[in-house]
Amino acid sequence: MKRTAKILAPLVLAMAGAAMAQDSLPVQLTACLQITGLLQRLACYDRVAHSVGPVPRSAPTSRPAMQTIPPFASAAPPAAYVAPPIAAAPPAGLGSERLRRAAPVKRASEMTASVAGISYDPRGRFTVTLDNGEVWRQLEGDTGRLDAPKNFTVRISRGALGSYDLNVVGRNATYRVLRLQ
């Protein structure tokens, strides 16, 4: 009997301590909620989580395997880890024009070309095809009407906030356009 009591006593005490910790868990979490500092609140939640003990893991679900990356650059990577090759391609996408590059890219601020063809949609907006193959369309918000002679030359330049302006050479009218091709 004494032997059984010696074995069960630590077990009963551990279970009682866990039950008391479970009962005080809402009190501890409420105390953490009262802390205004972000790092202090996080530390409080960490203390509560560590006091409860390890969380039992559930059965693994079938998820696609993800490539693991070592947590620190100074740590040696595991033997199975293969670092992806470093691409030397320049960054592309939204906002990439503001990133530093090895050699600055010179962008033309304007171009001049002859018009090979012009067409109008039902609302009167024009689409011009230039002799170099580029196609430019008048923007929805631009209400100006383009009445130009058969063979004319246009100058397209950069406008404000990344837009483009089309001017007929020899005329004093500007149209907002968007490049289609």
Side-chain angles (χ1 to χ4, degrees):
M1 181 76 172
K2 285 184 180 182
R3 183 175 176 202
T4 307
K6 286 182 181 180
I7 294 173
L8 291 178
L11 183 61
V12 169
L13 287 175
M15 290 175 55
M20 287 179 17
Q22 293 294 333
D23 292 339
S24 67
L25 185 62
V27 174
Q28 292 174 350
L29 290 176
T30 305
C32 291
L33 278 173
Q34 304 302 320
I35 299 173
T36 58
L38 294 176
L39 292 176
Q40 291 84 2
R41 184 183 308 168
L42 179 62
C44 180
Y45 284 130
D46 284 344
R47 280 192 302 274
V48 171
H50 290 296
S51 70
V52 171
V55 177
R57 292 188 174 195
S58 61
T61 58
S62 60
R63 289 188 178 171
M66 294 180 62
Q67 183 180 13
T68 58
I69 298 174
F72 301 105
S74 62
Y81 175 76
V82 177
I86 298 174
L94 187 65
S96 64
E97 66 274 359
R98 295 185 184 260
L99 297 176
R100 290 186 186 188
R101 296 186 182 171
V105 177
K106 298 278 186 173
R107 291 188 179 177
S109 59
E110 69 177 46
M111 64 170 270
T112 304
S114 297
V115 174
I118 185 166
S119 62
Y120 295 92
D121 69 0
R123 293 187 178 173
R125 287 186 303 269
F126 63 86
T127 302
V128 295
T129 304
L130 304 179
D131 60 352
N132 61 6
E134 294 180 4
V135 179
W136 294 81
R137 183 184 67 209
Q138 184 179 16
L139 292 178
E140 297 275 335
D142 190 0
T143 58
R145 175 88 175 143
L146 175 64
D147 294 320
K150 290 265 186 202
N151 297 324
F152 61 100
T153 304
V154 294
R155 183 178 62 243
I156 299 175
S157 59
R158 292 187 181 274
L161 301 173
S163 65
Y164 295 95
D165 298 331
L166 181 139
N167 295 49
V168 177
V169 175
R171 295 204 178 174
N172 192 16
T174 302
Y175 308 94
R176 300 280 176 176
V177 292
L178 169 73
R179 184 175 177 184
L180 299 179
Q181 287 183 348

